[in-house]
Amino acid sequence: MAALIDKRQPLDLIDVRTKQEFQSFHIRGAQSFPLRELSAAKVLRGRKREATEPLYIICNNRVRASLAAGMLTGAGCRQPVVVDGGMETWMRDGLSVVFERPFWDFALVRFCCELMELFRRPPLVTYKSPKVA
């Protein structure tokens, strides 16, 4: 699968980890379908590839992916493929992932709060306008 991704070959990959896990990092091109909310019919309808092509399923270590594969098989998926080792192995092998930095990270929030405080305080130096005669 890593070779297909590196060569930019089209494939169907779903990530069944939680939304938070997916948002922290994921494989480029993966679609998020948390196991707790997984609708096999929706996944199968949204496929980019033919139904005869493999549908890759990943989670952290393969437990949730195996459960999802069973659900998808029951709904008619012909070739579910659980990614061996999951994201733990993917990361350990140094394969590429997408890291998403949340917009409201702590450093940005702190900076904004300090900036607001700066403008809220009375000025330390006051300037008088020159009198015009």
Side-chain angles (χ1 to χ4, degrees):
M1 189 179 79
L4 292 173
I5 291 172
D6 285 344
K7 293 177 184 174
R8 301 205 185 270
Q9 295 293 317
L11 58 87
D12 286 324
L13 170 63
I14 64 168
D15 188 322
V16 295
R17 298 176 300 151
T18 64
K19 287 280 187 199
Q20 293 80 13
E21 289 172 313
F22 183 84
Q23 288 173 349
S24 63
F25 66 94
H26 59 271
I27 298 171
R28 185 174 309 284
Q31 292 182 295
S32 177
F33 287 98
L35 183 63
R36 289 182 182 240
E37 305 162 18
L38 184 67
S39 164
K42 184 177 179 181
V43 171
L44 296 177
R45 275 194 313 269
R47 291 197 63 183
K48 300 171 194 166
R49 311 283 298 151
E50 295 295 322
T52 56
E53 296 289 322
L55 171 60
Y56 296 95
I57 309 162
I58 196 162
C59 67
N60 274 343
N61 56 21
R62 80 173 284 143
V63 174
R64 288 178 277 183
S66 296
L67 293 170
M71 294 168 63
L72 290 161
T73 300
C77 183
R78 295 182 190 164
Q79 223 183 96
V81 177
V82 175
V83 178
D84 195 30
M87 291 302 294
E88 289 176 1
T89 301
W90 191 272
M91 294 290 289
R92 189 172 42 245
D93 289 349
L95 299 170
S96 65
V97 293
V98 175
F99 286 95
E100 292 187 10
R101 185 171 150 226
F103 178 75
W104 288 108
D105 64 349
F106 180 75
L108 182 60
V109 171
R110 183 174 168 193
F111 170 77
C112 290
C113 289
E114 289 174 354
L115 192 60
M116 289 184 338
E117 272 301 306
L118 179 68
F119 287 108
R120 194 176 301 155
R121 292 184 185 149
L124 298 174
V125 177
T126 55
Y127 295 96
K128 287 187 175 182
S129 316
K131 293 185 179 182
V132 180

